[in-house]
Amino acid sequence: MRDATLPLRVGLVGAGWVTAHHLAGWRSLQGRATVVAIADPNQANARARAREFGIAQVFASAQQMFEQTPLDAVDVAAPREFHAAIVREAARHGLAVLCQKPLAPTLPEARVLAEEVAPQCRLMVHENWRFRPYYRDLARWLADGRIGDVLQASMTLLTSGLLPDEAGRLPALERQPFIAGLERALVTEILIHHIDTLRFLLGELTLVHARLGRASPAMRGEDRAFLSFETASLAPVALLANLAVHGRMPVQADRLTLVGTTGTIELEGDTLRCFGAQPAELPYDMPACYLASYAATISHFVDGVRSGRAFETEPADNLRTLALVEEAYQRGGC
């Protein structure tokens, strides 16, 4: 048996844009875990990532990596259509798995996958939004009872990312070009984070109403959404998103208001505020928070692998988020 005090040996599958954030997160865990190999069929991208982060081994496929180098865990950051096959192969090799959301392209596929690999490996879904520092602080405020019982909640994501900039480019697609070709876009790729975060903060949710829409000719899938939920105590929760809003910045920035019996919590811009009987205000470096969420997610995974404790975003939990995503499409009319 390998010495438990040694750093976890990690293999990364994928070399796309998001993996720079994954690798920065892994690098912050020096002494606890080390990415020793990277696999991607795009060898130029894989070699570039390996040079940037000092990774010794590069492979053309996950299977080659699993067969040719000793690993303890794998970080799956490949496109969603490859998640299930890679997770199954990793499970066959007895590796702990951290898999980018969504676990699989559809809810039924995700359910089958989770059930199949459960006896073979520890599996956590990489759902990093809830690990952003301001949402962790907000959760502590709620746990401390700063605003009493939540009566209403409203969350918005309004950006101009699908409106042309001065050079005629669409900022949202410059950052993530693959979104343009997704049949299921805004909810599956972006709002899945917000739904998960609302569940993290408010508990289990029931979808009451959904309306999805598509306006941008540059997008195959939906680019606007309105979702209405209820908490277990029947508090209404509204989630509104649109990627083509005049007057808003192209960068994604959440706004959240929680109205409670004894106070209100608001996240707006770079500040989290509490009003009422227990006022407070916390400022944040938002770009730093974005990066920190990856490191915190990965640290949580490593802690769970080491200790055997349950992951926050284990499959059983994440499937409840995916069920709400699926229901939004079934009822959304897009």
Side-chain angles (χ1 to χ4, degrees), residues 109-123:
E109 289 176 276
R111 283 175 170 159
V112 170
L113 176 64
E115 182 176 0
E116 180 181 329
V117 303
Q120 300 172 285
C121 74
R122 298 289 309 282
L123 174 60

Side-chain angles (χ1 to χ4, degrees), residues 13 39-40 59-67 71 74 86 89:
V13 183
D40 194 292
F59 297 92
S61 71
Q63 183 174 354
Q64 288 180 1
M65 181 174 70
F66 297 154
E67 292 175 351
L71 298 173
V74 59
I86 296 168
E89 187 68 17

Side-chain angles (χ1 to χ4, degrees), residues 143-156:
D144 291 342
R146 280 182 175 268
I147 64 169
D149 297 327
V150 175
L151 301 175
Q152 297 172 304
S154 173
M155 193 175 204
T156 63

Side-chain angles (χ1 to χ4, degrees), residues 65-87:
M65 181 174 70
F66 297 154
E67 292 175 351
Q68 297 179 28
T69 192
L71 298 173
D72 303 301
V74 59
D75 183 357
V76 181
R80 69 182 71 167
E81 58 267 28
F82 303 113
H83 287 181
I86 296 168
V87 170

